[in-house]
Amino acid sequence: MDAKFYKLILLGGAVRFYFVRTPLASLISDRVEFATPLNSQKRMKEGIYLLDQGIDPYSGDLVHETPLVLKALSGLFLNFPQWLPLIYIMLDLLTGALLYNLSVRFVKQKLQKQRLERKNYAKDTEQLQYNDDDNYDIPELVLIAYLFNPLTVLSCIGLTSTVLSNLFLALFLYFLTKGLLLPCIFLLAFETVRSFYPIVLMAPLLLVFARRSFAGGVILSVLFAVACLIIAAASYLVIESWSFLDGTLGFIFYFRDLQPNIGLFWYFFTEMFEHFRTMFLITFQLNATVLYLVPLSLKLRKEPLLLATVLVALMAVFRAYPSLGDVGFYLALLPLWKRCWKYMAHGFVVFTFFLVTLSMMGTLWHLWIYAGSANANFYFGATLAFSTGQIFLITDLLFAHVKREFCLYNGQKIMIDGEEARILLK
């Protein structure tokens, strides 16, 4: 870590500290784009108060954080609430530092792999290969993309528990690149019990540690299941009840709160007839978890970190209660694939989608809720376009990776019948 790293960390902390002391912080904590039923600070505060009074926090339909997190943060919320913003800022900076360090290790691994495979590369592919400058450039880009992304900054100052989710995911990815099995399993189990969807990250974990061994995969799956049971049992000991399972995982799977957010669930389940609910519920949850898992795992079996990045991005798009903080996290991972950017063809389209839709969300929400001159269709249209832009970004990255891999071994100029061939997405 050089001096520039510490300067960026201090500057990122200063930006957050400045905004958390402004009225913007309380505004963001109430915005549906950032605060959902799962990550809202107000709901967590209510759950901690109920737990402290000896009342089951899950007896109603307000609290959806796990008992372990409520218990771990209860002392801070009850006794030192004035320190909450500073603690959240420090956790967010730690997430940035972890992403920086995993980027450093990732680039070193790429350079080592290239040294072994370079003899098979085509001659005109130097710009597609990782080089020594990437040891500094890529980690700095990742750090900047996380610390100064408005989506992560606003999520932090709004004191949403997305800050915790991002930290746990960053820890998981860091240990994944370090090759530390047990921390990966327990972190993934903890996040799965918290928010269900990270279970799909078992795929990159198996690719890294099972090494194409069926027996190894079975053993790791059993270890993961045991870790989930241990965490569930520890949660049971906190409140001496299993009600938290329905209040967390059950609440997510059955999608009981129709509060608008940036996702795709709320509008469909508000509009549909009740007798279709089970069918659409299963369909939407399959789409958010296993639908893309097998084909992506097969295609990206040699790139487990890219697989993890894509799965985290798909979670941010298709989960039941997404927030903009989830989007900011996976955007910070994109600089890892800097060598694919040459083949990403939809950068301007994606940037325009993001800029326009994010700008319109606040306006259309005001017109719908406060002015009464719009309706849910207007707001959902903006969020649907935002999700479409994210899908463009994910598919663009995947196709760019495929083109880079092909060109590394076959050259950037392929001639067919005397003319330069082009690879097109059909």
Side-chain angles (χ1 to χ4, degrees):
M1 298 182 187
D2 55 12
K4 193 170 184 180
F5 166 81
Y6 294 105
K7 291 178 181 177
L8 290 172
I9 288 288
L10 289 174
L11 184 58
V15 170
R16 286 161 172 75
F17 186 73
Y18 172 79
F19 284 109
V20 83
R21 298 166 61 86
T22 66
L24 182 63
S26 59
L27 174 65
I28 293 300
S29 66
D30 292 326
R31 291 297 309 180
V32 295
E33 295 88 358
F34 290 94
T36 70
L38 297 183
N39 71 0
S40 170
Q41 180 220 4
K42 294 181 179 179
R43 292 184 183 235
M44 183 181 289
K45 187 183 298 184
E46 182 70 17
I48 289 172
Y49 176 79
L50 292 173
L51 187 64
D52 184 63
Q53 297 299 312
I55 302 172
D56 185 353
Y58 309 99
S59 56
D61 197 32
L62 185 66
V63 181
H64 309 292
E65 186 56 85
T66 58
L68 287 177
V69 174
L70 295 179
K71 190 67 174 178
L73 296 179
S74 60
L76 182 62
F77 270 79
L78 295 173
N79 302 319
F80 306 100
Q82 69 276 14
W83 291 100
L84 272 174
L86 187 59
I87 297 299
Y88 272 72
I89 290 172
M90 292 175 64
L91 293 176
D92 215 30
L93 296 180
L94 178 58
T95 301
L98 286 167
L99 294 178
Y100 178 91
N101 281 281
L102 80 85
S103 303
V104 171
R105 188 167 185 84
F106 169 79
V107 174
K108 288 181 179 178
Q109 291 174 347
K110 280 293 183 182
L111 290 173
Q112 291 173 357
K113 182 181 178 182
Q114 278 186 181
R115 294 188 188 100
L116 299 175
E117 299 179 349
R118 186 167 290 165
K119 60 180 181 295
N120 299 321
Y121 292 166
K123 294 181 179 180
D124 61 338
T125 59
E126 286 77 12
Q127 68 180 126
L128 301 180
Q129 301 176 30
Y130 289 84
N131 55 52
D132 291 335
D133 291 339
D134 290 333
N135 281 310
Y136 306 98
D137 295 342
I138 289 179
E140 286 181 2
L141 286 173
V142 169
L143 186 61
I144 291 170
Y146 186 81
L147 291 183
F148 303 104
N149 187 328
L151 304 184
T152 54
V153 172
L154 294 177
S155 183
C156 178
I157 69 172
L159 302 184
T160 66
S161 63
T162 301
V163 171
L164 300 177
S165 298
N166 290 347
L167 175 61
F168 294 138
L169 286 176
L171 277 168
F172 169 77
L173 296 176
Y174 175 73
F175 288 130
L176 194 68
T177 57
K178 292 273 288 184
L180 299 176
L181 175 60
L182 290 180
C184 282
I185 286 180
F186 274 95
L187 282 166
L188 184 57
F190 185 78
E191 267 301 282
T192 299
V193 173
R194 278 189 75 224
S195 52
F196 177 59
Y197 297 103
I199 192 174
V200 300
L201 294 177
M202 270 298 290
L205 186 144
L206 291 174
L207 290 176
V208 171
F209 295 105
R211 305 182 190 282
R212 302 181 185 178
S213 167
F214 177 77
V218 172
I219 292 172
L220 290 183
S221 299
V222 171
L223 284 175
F224 174 74
V226 170
C228 289
L229 290 175
I230 291 173
I231 292 168
S235 299
Y236 170 82
L237 293 176
V238 172
I239 62 171
E240 297 182 349
S241 169
W242 292 106
S243 60
F244 73 92
L245 289 175
D246 185 63
T248 54
L249 298 179
F251 175 80
I252 295 170
F253 184 82
Y254 291 108
F255 193 70
R256 297 187 181 125
D257 194 319
L258 299 178
Q259 173 181 305
N261 53 52
I262 64 168
L264 304 175
F265 276 65
W266 68 272
Y267 186 84
F268 284 97
F269 284 89
T270 300
E271 296 292 329
M272 76 170 58
F273 293 108
E274 189 63 26
H275 55 276
F276 291 124
R277 181 179 175 84
T278 301
M279 181 191 72
F280 277 98
L281 192 64
I282 294 173
T283 302
F284 272 60
Q285 296 292 10
L286 286 175
N287 180 67
T289 52
V290 300
L291 184 62
Y292 311 103
L293 189 59
V294 174
L296 285 174
S297 298
L298 292 174
K299 183 62 181 177
L300 302 177
R301 60 190 180 278
K302 296 181 181 180
E303 294 285 354
L305 192 58
L306 178 58
L307 175 61
T309 301
V310 172
L311 291 175
V312 169
L314 290 173
M315 280 193 287
V317 178
F318 294 120
R319 68 197 306 165
Y321 301 99
S323 74
L324 291 179
D326 302 319
V327 179
F329 180 81
Y330 81 76
L331 290 179
L333 298 173
L334 296 184
L336 292 173
W337 318 105
K338 179 184 175 183
R339 293 301 161 186
C340 297
W341 290 357
K342 172 182 170 64
Y343 295 112
M344 294 182 71
H346 302 124
F348 176 75
V349 174
V350 170
F351 176 77
T352 304
F353 262 101
F354 275 50
L355 183 64
V356 173
T357 55
L358 288 173
S359 301
M360 290 178 62
M361 283 180 194
T363 302
L364 295 176
W365 178 265
H366 179 82
L367 292 176
W368 173 25
I369 300 299
Y370 298 103
S373 57
N375 56 41
N377 297 315
F378 288 70
Y379 187 75
F380 180 69
T383 59
L384 181 62
F386 180 64
S387 297
T388 303
Q390 293 183 78
I391 295 300
F392 269 104
L393 176 61
I394 297 167
T395 54
D396 202 18
L397 174 63
L398 287 171
F399 195 59
H401 168 72
V402 172
K403 288 193 285 187
R404 175 183 176 271
E405 288 293 304
F406 177 84
C407 292
L408 271 177
Y409 294 96
N410 297 277
Q412 298 191 65
K413 292 185 178 181
I414 308 298
M415 307 303 293
I416 298 179
D417 297 331
E419 296 184 2
E420 183 178 348
R422 298 177 62 194
I423 305 174
L424 299 175
L425 179 61
K426 294 289 187 178

